[in-house]
Amino acid sequence: MPRGHLLTTRGRKSGRLRTQPVAIVELEGRRCLVAPYGTVSWVLNARAAGKVILRRRCTTRAYAVRELASVEAGPVLKRYASFPAPTRSAFQATKDSSVEDFIAEAGRHPVFELTPLDCDDPWSTL
């Protein structure tokens, strides 16, 4: 996956670190994280903590997360739909659909804007 990262969140109940692959969407200078399968565990963990860790190759960085409203999420979801990914079946809208179709669907696919946290040890932030 060309935009693939490993996302780590702290379990909101267990406190354990949880890691899964994700794709990052870059759009208009913003970096966003999309939950193509809806409100899954990592989404609940990210909402609870307000921060996540992303790893790609040798780089590890902590980010604050802010969930986007549907109007903001629509263009990000449209961009995400253009990625070659097995998650396309989770969307009703297609890569050729309008942004309005993705705005209408945004309630089923949480999108988070990522803001880098300035810290020497990203793991200490979780």
Side-chain angles (χ1 to χ4, degrees):
M1 182 182 297
R3 293 161 189 84
H5 289 71
L6 290 176
L7 170 75
T8 300
T9 57
R10 183 166 299 280
R12 66 199 177 283
K13 294 179 185 177
S14 70
R16 294 183 182 154
L17 296 180
R18 305 288 185 195
T19 301
Q20 52 277 321
V22 294
I24 301 301
V25 177
E26 295 186 23
L27 185 66
E28 298 175 0
R30 294 165 53 179
R31 298 185 82 205
C32 297
L33 185 58
V34 173
Y37 298 116
T39 307
V40 294
S41 290
W42 74 257
V43 170
L44 298 172
N45 293 341
R47 283 175 179 163
K51 53 194 165 192
V52 299
I53 290 179
L54 287 173
R55 286 182 289 160
R56 182 172 169 88
R57 297 186 182 113
C58 297
T59 303
T60 301
R61 189 148 197 198
Y63 292 87
V65 294
R66 179 182 71 89
E67 192 164 356
L68 300 182
S70 295
V71 171
E72 292 178 284
V76 176
L77 291 172
K78 181 166 177 63
R79 172 79 176 115
Y80 181 86
S82 71
F83 294 174
T87 58
R88 282 196 188 145
S89 63
F91 291 86
Q92 292 177 351
T94 68
K95 64 180 180 155
D96 299 320
S97 296
S98 69
V99 171
E100 289 75 23
D101 291 339
F102 284 98
I103 290 171
E105 199 167 336
R108 293 188 304 276
H109 308 286
V111 177
F112 296 89
E113 182 176 11
L114 299 166
T115 304
L117 293 174
D118 193 21
C119 59
D120 293 331
D121 179 14
W123 298 105
S124 68
T125 63
L126 287 181

